[in-house]
Amino acid sequence: MAQKKSTRKFEKNHLKDTIERRKASAKVKQLRLAKDKKRARKANSQPEPEQDDGKTAEQGRKSGAADFESMDVDDFFQGGHEILADLTPVKSKSRKPATDAVGTPSRKRKRDELELAKAQPASDGAAGDEGTSDEDDRDSADDDGDLKAHKRELDALAEQDPEFYEYLQKNDAELLDLAEEDEKDVVTEGVGESDDEPDLLKGEVVTTDMLQRWRRAMLELHSLKALKEVMLAFRAAAHGNDEDEKKYKYSVSSAEVYHELLVLALQNIPDVLNHHLPVKESQPGKIRVSTESKKYQSLTQLLKSHAASVHQLLSTLSDDGALRLTLSSLTALLPYFLPFRKHLRALVKAVVGIWSRPRSIEATRISAFLVVRQMAIMGDPGLREMVLKTVYQGLVRGSRNTTVHTMPGVNLMKNSAAELWGLDASVGYTTGFAFIRQLAIHLRGCVTNPTKDSHRAVYNWQFVHSLDFWSRVLTLHCAALKEAEAGHESALRPLIYPLVQITLGTIRLVPTAHFFPLRFQLIRALLRLAGASGIYIPLVATLLEVLQSAEMKKAPKASTIKGLDFGTAIRAPTAYLRTRVYQDGVGAQVTELLAEFLVQWTKSIAFPELALPVIVALKRWLKEVSSRPGSFHARRGGGGGRGGGGRGNQNQKVTGGLALLVQKLEANARSVEEQRARVDFAPTQRAAVDGFWKELDWRKTALGAFVDGQRKMRAQRERLLERARRDGEGGEEGGEEGGEEDAEEDAEEVDEDDEEEEDGEGDGDDGDE
């Protein structure tokens, strides 16, 4: 019959050590037994007169001679040689008899027996174990009783005379640590080889009584022995769904016991470890544990086993409540797992997987991020770099499929992950440079090797989210206010220029109407970066290109299709092209982004010069699209033909929004010119130029008030859409009706605001003319 795999593994790895350990134990026990028999013989022996000794010895020799003459060969080998040894006279100078009055062997014979016991062959180890099993049990029971009695005496001493007990702690700590050292031996015993001895593990079923007993021992006594048992039971519960035939010391067969065991292990194991191995904080956020202490060394195997169990549990759990409990327990255990890089790498991947999983709720994502952040804070630069790389890979993997339902989770990942790149400036710059360079390589491949589908390597959600993520990282850590507080520029600031170049190159790669949504997504990322860092990024040209496209110059087609959500789209379907719905959306996006770009410089002393090209370009476009067939502007624009540009787009909503923007830009430019006429400093005085209109709130300017009102309207619209989506999740039919009603109400409000704004815009146009 072939041996099991576990048996062969045990023979290969542990059989030799087990046999050697049993040999040594058997020799020690035999020596101890021989000493005990010697003491017993000395205690039972009584001194008698010498003549009686001589008579007794003479009688013994005579009876022994008679027995020796009558015995056969089998009796001789079973013990008859001892009689022959008694009959042999012993030569000594003192002429003492070979045996005493009770037949006790001489000292030489005793020494020979001891040497024989020491030289016992290894093949008799098993037989020796069987022969001395009862004595071993008695010895171990006596030792356990002595240790328990010693511990009770120490506890009583601590209660009766605490001062003397404290003195012993300071001057004779070994006496007090005796019981604890024995408990450590119990904890480490069998941890490394428990999985490889199939005959020793019977899979004892965990019960509620066992859990209560362990809980009391951990809460009241902080018992390491109970800690070991809970960890072993937790390991069996974590690997309960494994397909392999691996056996464990415990097994869990009840759902109730499984739940109680998880709660007990996750809540109480960190407390017990912190009691025996307190966590020390050397610097803010720098937490460490004394890994060189004997107690930590004795718990190393247990901690490794528990780290593997936690990783297995994180990989199998799907309930958000259980995941949050496991992650909070893992946060407290991280200081003890730091030396185990292999297990720590697996834990980082598992936690990042939960953080980037689309089905994870917001609370679970935040709990997972706190664990990752704690790892990055406590670890060394090598661990920190590994955490940052794993987080970025998880972000890219989790943003593959982006919808209106997953977009909030993706934004949460990007905002939370951006914080990690500020923990270590050197590691953050190194990893950021490598990943931004990787994006540049992808873009260069599309430009140098153009094919029909080459743009798909760049025009996808993962690439767009990556560019947006790095803009958030640089926005957070290169903000002018944050750098002023730190007193120096951020180490990440040199990454702004390559990121801007890559983003602008991506925008211009395929400048068609299909990818106007992607263009708007990337422009928003650059606007965020420019507003925080104070760097001027030329974005007006990329927006005016949209107005010059055929999509915005020709009259749209009537359509009842639902409006496109530009916040969750990077490509417009073909059905949207040349429709009024799509043209309205594109016009609103251009108006909004132009206003958001120029409002960043609304208080600048150079605003009139900055806004003048925009005003001229917008007025020219408005005249072109608003001209009638046969007019001068239509002929100059190449119109007059069938379907030519002479018809214009005839879209009052788009033209009205842009005309209102022109009005606000001109009003803001006049205000700046009036204020600039009163200054008494030259353009060379940089400090005075930067302080121009510094005390004025940007919302009180003409353009700032307009942008602030537009932001509030968009926020209200987003709230209505979010409420409609939530209603749709509750009931499909009711959600659709609710969403339509909210959309109609919002459209009516927008139309009313547009009518009021157009009235003001018409008056402004008359004045300009």
Side-chain angles (χ1 to χ4, degrees), residues 695-719:
E695 70 282 355
L696 181 66
D697 187 10
W698 68 273
R699 296 180 183 86
K700 294 182 179 180
T701 62
L703 182 60
F706 170 73
V707 171
D708 187 46
Q710 294 294 318
R711 288 179 180 178
K712 292 180 180 178
M713 291 175 58
R714 288 193 300 271
Q716 181 181 2
R717 179 181 179 84
E718 290 177 359
R719 286 195 298 268

Side-chain angles (χ1 to χ4, degrees), residues 4 65 77 204 305 311 376 407 413 611 756:
K4 293 183 178 179
F77 283 106
E204 182 180 359
S305 175
H311 171 254
M407 181 62 80
M413 286 194 296
E756 295 176 358

Side-chain angles (χ1 to χ4, degrees), residues 564-606:
L564 182 65
D565 186 3
F566 286 88
T568 58
I570 58 175
R571 184 183 184 278
T574 306
Y576 279 90
L577 300 182
R578 302 295 178 87
T579 62
R580 185 179 181 87
V581 173
Y582 188 59
Q583 193 177 86
D584 290 346
V586 172
Q589 291 290 315
V590 172
T591 304
E592 174 193 344
L593 294 176
L594 279 174
E596 290 288 345
F597 171 75
L598 293 170
V599 79
Q600 297 178 358
W601 314 99
T602 183
K603 298 193 304 179
S604 173
I605 198 171

Side-chain angles (χ1 to χ4, degrees), residues 389-402:
K389 289 182 178 180
T390 308
V391 167
Y392 183 72
Q393 293 171 359
L395 172 65
V396 174
R397 191 185 311 112
S399 60
R400 181 186 299 273
N401 297 322
T402 302

Side-chain angles (χ1 to χ4, degrees), residues 283-344:
Q283 297 177 359
K286 295 293 183 179
I287 300 175
R288 64 180 184 87
V289 176
S290 180
T291 58
E292 298 179 356
S293 61
K294 295 182 179 179
K295 190 174 293 187
Y296 185 86
Q297 296 295 333
S298 64
L299 295 173
T300 299
Q301 295 298 328
L302 272 179
L303 292 175
K304 287 183 179 180
S305 175
H306 191 62
S309 302
V310 173
H311 171 254
Q312 178 67 19
L313 187 65
L314 290 174
S315 303
T316 56
L317 283 178
S318 59
D319 181 68
D320 291 304
L323 279 173
R324 290 196 297 272
L325 178 62
T326 307
L327 292 171
S328 61
S329 176
L330 178 59
T331 305
L333 292 172
L334 285 179
Y336 306 98
F337 293 163
L338 282 180
F340 315 136
R341 285 303 178 91
K342 180 180 178 181
H343 296 282
L344 206 59

Side-chain angles (χ1 to χ4, degrees), residues 711-760:
R711 288 179 180 178
K712 292 180 180 178
M713 291 175 58
R714 288 193 300 271
Q716 181 181 2
R717 179 181 179 84
E718 290 177 359
R719 286 195 298 268
L720 293 174
L721 294 176
E722 182 65 23
R723 187 179 67 183
R725 282 194 291 267
R726 291 179 180 177
D727 294 342
E729 292 177 358
E732 184 176 356
E733 296 180 357
E736 292 178 356
E737 295 176 358
E740 292 177 358
E741 292 176 359
D742 291 339
E744 291 176 359
E745 294 176 359
D746 187 76
E748 292 176 358
E749 293 177 0
V750 172
D751 292 340
E752 292 176 359
D753 294 336
D754 289 341
E755 291 177 359
E756 295 176 358
E757 293 169 354
E758 287 175 4
D759 294 340

